[in-house]
Amino acid sequence: MPFSTANTHVGSVVLSHEESLGLDAAIAAGIIKRATPEAPNGYTPEQVDCPSVRPTIRSADSISPNETAWLELRRNNTIWPMRDLLGRANITGFDAESYINQHANNATALPNVAFAASGGGYRALMNGAGAISAFDNRTANATAKGQLGGLLQSCTYVAGLSGGGWLVGSIYTNNFSTVSSLQGQASGSVWEFGNSIFEGPSQGGIQLLNSAQYYDNIYDAVQAKNDNGFNTTITDYWGRALSFQLVNASNGGPGYTFSSIADDPQFASGEIPMPILITDGRAPGEILIPGNTTVYEFNPYEFGTFDPTTYGFVPTRYLGSNFSGGILPDDQKCVRGFDNVGYVMGTSSTLFNQFLLQINSTDIPNAFKSVLTSILNNVGQADDDIADYTPNPFYGYHNATSKNAQTETLTLVDGGEDLQNIPLHPLIQPYRHVDVIFAIDSSADTTYNWPNGTSMVATYERSMNTSGIENGTVFPSVPDQNTFVNLGLNTRPTFFGCNSSNMTGPSPLIVYIPNYAFTYNSNVSTFDPSYNNTERDWIIQNGYNAATRGNSSLDTQWPTCVGCAILSRSLERTATTVPQVCQQCFTDYCWNGTVDSTTPPAYEPTPILGAINLKKTSAAVGSLIPGRWVLTGASITAAAIMVWM
């Protein structure tokens, strides 16, 4: 049945509107069940007995059997929220609900939708959170006419990278929580960024440590991993610090693993999309990451790559085990707990080790400074942004093609270091058959920290690389960065790949949604370490407006055009005539091939729906949560500002 607009869904539990008002407090207090802390010894990886069928490295010539079985559940579970969403899209001359019903017994004929959140630190987390909130049918009024709630529930995959990986990792580690619950106003809420990562979280709620205890806790956890024979780097400290800000558990949940998501009932039953985080490989001797580097992914089942270099996957659960030549020798035990969720998020965002490298200009305790300085002296400044995966799970595997096959250490770095700052790579793999990707770009490409399409260009250029690294992936043509700016493609949503007949093979349609100033200048620095709740909420609000085009105030046809983008490839497969209104949408939103590569002037937009004066409103904001926005005496400079009510 269609999702109700009056209730909030938490897993398989349906809460009334009144009950949902207490959801934030319940989650902050730890009442709502979270993912299972499955690591055998907190942050320290430990040897355990292997299962009866010992884990091996799988060739990347398909998706995994686990993912294949899960897809049968997931694709069927996307049918009803998709029917509800498209039924509200007002695609005139086309009965979207009947179309979905007609093909409901063959989910592969229906749209296969994905969401991708770019990197960009806390800016990317907050801007991406606004889009997630807009697309989530649990957000209050998100299922009203013309709203986009249900798009998230229609997705098969949700990918994140670096700051976007923090967003995805935090949502999934916290029981696929809503954005509104994570950004609650009460002390002890999860996303409290007012205290920088140098200070640690505020005391109260689930966190009971002062700053000195916070650093002691991080140091002890990482040192225990080191004492147990596993290499550690600054990424270990960074990942543990991230967990305190993103995981709703005491001490940052040291026992929470990324692979434990596979055992979460919501995920195992196909009720929620598959999360994927991205990281880049660094070959021995490399300093700068080339565009043809090996791109690795973490999903709840596996870690590895479809790239024709390593071209293999290892069970995520058994990272840290001493594989050799694709097998785990009989004299080796399995290792569990290496895939700590904070370490995985930290691996995808090693660029942000720079936070901890500012050791001489912070209040970090002297003992902790000496630890970080010692690590830097050991690895050298050139390796301060690495994550160390020793033992290398792909040691001796595909020796002829993998640059890392003969090294005992697999070195991984921030997933955006190859300039592919939107995690499109896992979503354009032919085996996954994705039809449309909603790509949220929070990159800081310009002087003033706005995107200019660099990530899209990087992914396109990689797809055209003649070295073979593209390995069958096809990506729509995109213009150069100057054209993105000159034509305003970085100011509004743009569709790429509308005409699939112009491409060399199957490729998803890309709905590119850039960070832009709608109601707030959300171009905060990638390396800003703290945000009070007011600014956090305004940036999330701005991201919501970017995804909804100001609740359709800038284009009343936007929800219709979103529906047309979702349906596009499916209509082709079923030989269904494209509705006239969709043809108009594609005229309005598809890039038409025009290029203007002249050097643009400095790009510095102003909020198009009216600027918010943060200094005037910060003291007046009572709470700002999607669906529950309460302003007390606030001064807002434009009546056109869209609220989530």
Side-chain angles (χ1 to χ4, degrees), residues 195-206:
N195 280 25
S196 80
I197 210 156
F198 298 125
E199 302 170 83
S202 300
Q203 289 182 268
I206 58 173

mmCIF file with all atom_site columns, all heavy atoms in Angstrom, residues 195-206:
data_model
loop_
_atom_site.group_PDB
_atom_site.id
_atom_site.type_symbol
_atom_site.label_atom_id
_atom_site.label_alt_id
_atom_site.label_comp_id
_atom_site.label_asym_id
_atom_site.label_entity_id
_atom_site.label_seq_id
_atom_site.pdbx_PDB_ins_code
_atom_site.Cartn_x
_atom_site.Cartn_y
_atom_site.Cartn_z
_atom_site.occupancy
_atom_site.B_iso_or_equiv
_atom_site.pdbx_formal_charge
_atom_site.auth_seq_id
_atom_site.auth_comp_id
_atom_site.auth_asym_id
_atom_site.auth_atom_id
_atom_site.pdbx_PDB_model_num
ATOM 1  N N   . ASN A 1 195 ? 30.996 21.780 19.225 1.00 0.00 ? 195 ASN A N   1
ATOM 2  C CA  . ASN A 1 195 ? 32.326 21.471 19.727 1.00 0.00 ? 195 ASN A CA  1
ATOM 3  C C   . ASN A 1 195 ? 33.117 20.856 18.590 1.00 0.00 ? 195 ASN A C   1
ATOM 4  O O   . ASN A 1 195 ? 32.695 19.861 18.000 1.00 0.00 ? 195 ASN A O   1
ATOM 5  C CB  . ASN A 1 195 ? 32.258 20.471 20.886 1.00 0.00 ? 195 ASN A CB  1
ATOM 6  C CG  . ASN A 1 195 ? 31.901 21.127 22.189 1.00 0.00 ? 195 ASN A CG  1
ATOM 7  O OD1 . ASN A 1 195 ? 31.270 22.174 22.201 1.00 0.00 ? 195 ASN A OD1 1
ATOM 8  N ND2 . ASN A 1 195 ? 32.295 20.517 23.296 1.00 0.00 ? 195 ASN A ND2 1
ATOM 9  N N   . SER A 1 196 ? 34.258 21.427 18.269 1.00 0.00 ? 196 SER A N   1
ATOM 10 C CA  . SER A 1 196 ? 35.037 20.900 17.155 1.00 0.00 ? 196 SER A CA  1
ATOM 11 C C   . SER A 1 196 ? 35.578 19.522 17.513 1.00 0.00 ? 196 SER A C   1
ATOM 12 O O   . SER A 1 196 ? 35.570 19.094 18.671 1.00 0.00 ? 196 SER A O   1
ATOM 13 C CB  . SER A 1 196 ? 36.207 21.829 16.817 1.00 0.00 ? 196 SER A CB  1
ATOM 14 O OG  . SER A 1 196 ? 37.289 21.625 17.709 1.00 0.00 ? 196 SER A OG  1
ATOM 15 N N   . ILE A 1 197 ? 36.075 18.861 16.510 1.00 0.00 ? 197 ILE A N   1
ATOM 16 C CA  . ILE A 1 197 ? 36.624 17.524 16.703 1.00 0.00 ? 197 ILE A CA  1
ATOM 17 C C   . ILE A 1 197 ? 37.863 17.563 17.590 1.00 0.00 ? 197 ILE A C   1
ATOM 18 O O   . ILE A 1 197 ? 38.286 16.551 18.135 1.00 0.00 ? 197 ILE A O   1
ATOM 19 C CB  . ILE A 1 197 ? 36.917 16.877 15.332 1.00 0.00 ? 197 ILE A CB  1
ATOM 20 C CG1 . ILE A 1 197 ? 36.772 15.357 15.417 1.00 0.00 ? 197 ILE A CG1 1
ATOM 21 C CG2 . ILE A 1 197 ? 38.257 17.307 14.783 1.00 0.00 ? 197 ILE A CG2 1
ATOM 22 C CD1 . ILE A 1 197 ? 36.477 14.689 14.108 1.00 0.00 ? 197 ILE A CD1 1
ATOM 23 N N   . PHE A 1 198 ? 38.455 18.771 17.754 1.00 0.00 ? 198 PHE A N   1
ATOM 24 C CA  . PHE A 1 198 ? 39.583 18.915 18.665 1.00 0.00 ? 198 PHE A CA  1
ATOM 25 C C   . PHE A 1 198 ? 39.139 18.828 20.126 1.00 0.00 ? 198 PHE A C   1
ATOM 26 O O   . PHE A 1 198 ? 39.898 18.421 20.997 1.00 0.00 ? 198 PHE A O   1
ATOM 27 C CB  . PHE A 1 198 ? 40.290 20.262 18.451 1.00 0.00 ? 198 PHE A CB  1
ATOM 28 C CG  . PHE A 1 198 ? 40.866 20.432 17.083 1.00 0.00 ? 198 PHE A CG  1
ATOM 29 C CD1 . PHE A 1 198 ? 40.530 21.514 16.302 1.00 0.00 ? 198 PHE A CD1 1
ATOM 30 C CD2 . PHE A 1 198 ? 41.756 19.504 16.551 1.00 0.00 ? 198 PHE A CD2 1
ATOM 31 C CE1 . PHE A 1 198 ? 41.053 21.681 15.040 1.00 0.00 ? 198 PHE A CE1 1
ATOM 32 C CE2 . PHE A 1 198 ? 42.286 19.661 15.290 1.00 0.00 ? 198 PHE A CE2 1
ATOM 33 C CZ  . PHE A 1 198 ? 41.936 20.759 14.528 1.00 0.00 ? 198 PHE A CZ  1
ATOM 34 N N   . GLU A 1 199 ? 37.904 19.247 20.394 1.00 0.00 ? 199 GLU A N   1
ATOM 35 C CA  . GLU A 1 199 ? 37.410 19.292 21.766 1.00 0.00 ? 199 GLU A CA  1
ATOM 36 C C   . GLU A 1 199 ? 36.673 18.025 22.180 1.00 0.00 ? 199 GLU A C   1
ATOM 37 O O   . GLU A 1 199 ? 36.605 17.690 23.348 1.00 0.00 ? 199 GLU A O   1
ATOM 38 C CB  . GLU A 1 199 ? 36.447 20.478 21.938 1.00 0.00 ? 199 GLU A CB  1
ATOM 39 C CG  . GLU A 1 199 ? 37.030 21.824 21.611 1.00 0.00 ? 199 GLU A CG  1
ATOM 40 C CD  . GLU A 1 199 ? 35.955 22.889 21.568 1.00 0.00 ? 199 GLU A CD  1
ATOM 41 O OE1 . GLU A 1 199 ? 35.607 23.394 22.654 1.00 0.00 ? 199 GLU A OE1 1
ATOM 42 O OE2 . GLU A 1 199 ? 35.460 23.203 20.473 1.00 0.00 ? 199 GLU A OE2 1
ATOM 43 N N   . GLY A 1 200 ? 36.062 17.376 21.197 1.00 0.00 ? 200 GLY A N   1
ATOM 44 C CA  . GLY A 1 200 ? 35.207 16.246 21.515 1.00 0.00 ? 200 GLY A CA  1
ATOM 45 C C   . GLY A 1 200 ? 33.788 16.719 21.739 1.00 0.00 ? 200 GLY A C   1
ATOM 46 O O   . GLY A 1 200 ? 33.514 17.923 21.836 1.00 0.00 ? 200 GLY A O   1
ATOM 47 N N   . PRO A 1 201 ? 32.847 15.801 21.808 1.00 0.00 ? 201 PRO A N   1
ATOM 48 C CA  . PRO A 1 201 ? 31.430 16.169 21.930 1.00 0.00 ? 201 PRO A CA  1
ATOM 49 C C   . PRO A 1 201 ? 31.118 16.778 23.282 1.00 0.00 ? 201 PRO A C   1
ATOM 50 O O   . PRO A 1 201 ? 31.836 16.581 24.261 1.00 0.00 ? 201 PRO A O   1
ATOM 51 C CB  . PRO A 1 201 ? 30.710 14.829 21.746 1.00 0.00 ? 201 PRO A CB  1
ATOM 52 C CG  . PRO A 1 201 ? 31.705 13.813 22.212 1.00 0.00 ? 201 PRO A CG  1
ATOM 53 C CD  . PRO A 1 201 ? 33.052 14.347 21.824 1.00 0.00 ? 201 PRO A CD  1
ATOM 54 N N   . SER A 1 202 ? 30.018 17.534 23.309 1.00 0.00 ? 202 SER A N   1
ATOM 55 C CA  . SER A 1 202 ? 29.559 18.091 24.579 1.00 0.00 ? 202 SER A CA  1
ATOM 56 C C   . SER A 1 202 ? 29.173 16.972 25.528 1.00 0.00 ? 202 SER A C   1
ATOM 57 O O   . SER A 1 202 ? 28.680 15.923 25.111 1.00 0.00 ? 202 SER A O   1
ATOM 58 C CB  . SER A 1 202 ? 28.349 19.006 24.350 1.00 0.00 ? 202 SER A CB  1
ATOM 59 O OG  . SER A 1 202 ? 28.673 20.069 23.495 1.00 0.00 ? 202 SER A OG  1
ATOM 60 N N   . GLN A 1 203 ? 29.408 17.188 26.816 1.00 0.00 ? 203 GLN A N   1
ATOM 61 C CA  . GLN A 1 203 ? 28.957 16.212 27.791 1.00 0.00 ? 203 GLN A CA  1
ATOM 62 C C   . GLN A 1 203 ? 27.440 16.251 27.892 1.00 0.00 ? 203 GLN A C   1
ATOM 63 O O   . GLN A 1 203 ? 26.810 17.272 27.692 1.00 0.00 ? 203 GLN A O   1
ATOM 64 C CB  . GLN A 1 203 ? 29.582 16.506 29.161 1.00 0.00 ? 203 GLN A CB  1
ATOM 65 C CG  . GLN A 1 203 ? 31.074 16.197 29.215 1.00 0.00 ? 203 GLN A CG  1
ATOM 66 C CD  . GLN A 1 203 ? 31.641 16.445 30.594 1.00 0.00 ? 203 GLN A CD  1
ATOM 67 O OE1 . GLN A 1 203 ? 32.129 17.511 30.891 1.00 0.00 ? 203 GLN A OE1 1
ATOM 68 N NE2 . GLN A 1 203 ? 31.566 15.435 31.438 1.00 0.00 ? 203 GLN A NE2 1
ATOM 69 N N   . GLY A 1 204 ? 26.863 15.138 28.190 1.00 0.00 ? 204 GLY A N   1
ATOM 70 C CA  . GLY A 1 204 ? 25.409 15.023 28.247 1.00 0.00 ? 204 GLY A CA  1
ATOM 71 C C   . GLY A 1 204 ? 24.942 13.973 27.280 1.00 0.00 ? 204 GLY A C   1
ATOM 72 O O   . GLY A 1 204 ? 25.642 13.589 26.359 1.00 0.00 ? 204 GLY A O   1
ATOM 73 N N   . GLY A 1 205 ? 23.742 13.477 27.479 1.00 0.00 ? 205 GLY A N   1
ATOM 74 C CA  . GLY A 1 205 ? 23.230 12.434 26.599 1.00 0.00 ? 205 GLY A CA  1
ATOM 75 C C   . GLY A 1 205 ? 24.064 11.181 26.729 1.00 0.00 ? 205 GLY A C   1
ATOM 76 O O   . GLY A 1 205 ? 24.353 10.707 27.822 1.00 0.00 ? 205 GLY A O   1
ATOM 77 N N   . ILE A 1 206 ? 24.525 10.656 25.584 1.00 0.00 ? 206 ILE A N   1
ATOM 78 C CA  . ILE A 1 206 ? 25.284 9.409  25.606 1.00 0.00 ? 206 ILE A CA  1
ATOM 79 C C   . ILE A 1 206 ? 26.768 9.636  25.808 1.00 0.00 ? 206 ILE A C   1
ATOM 80 O O   . ILE A 1 206 ? 27.516 8.684  26.037 1.00 0.00 ? 206 ILE A O   1
ATOM 81 C CB  . ILE A 1 206 ? 25.068 8.627  24.300 1.00 0.00 ? 206 ILE A CB  1
ATOM 82 C CG1 . ILE A 1 206 ? 25.485 9.500  23.105 1.00 0.00 ? 206 ILE A CG1 1
ATOM 83 C CG2 . ILE A 1 206 ? 23.640 8.159  24.166 1.00 0.00 ? 206 ILE A CG2 1
ATOM 84 C CD1 . ILE A 1 206 ? 25.473 8.758  21.799 1.00 0.00 ? 206 ILE A CD1 1
#
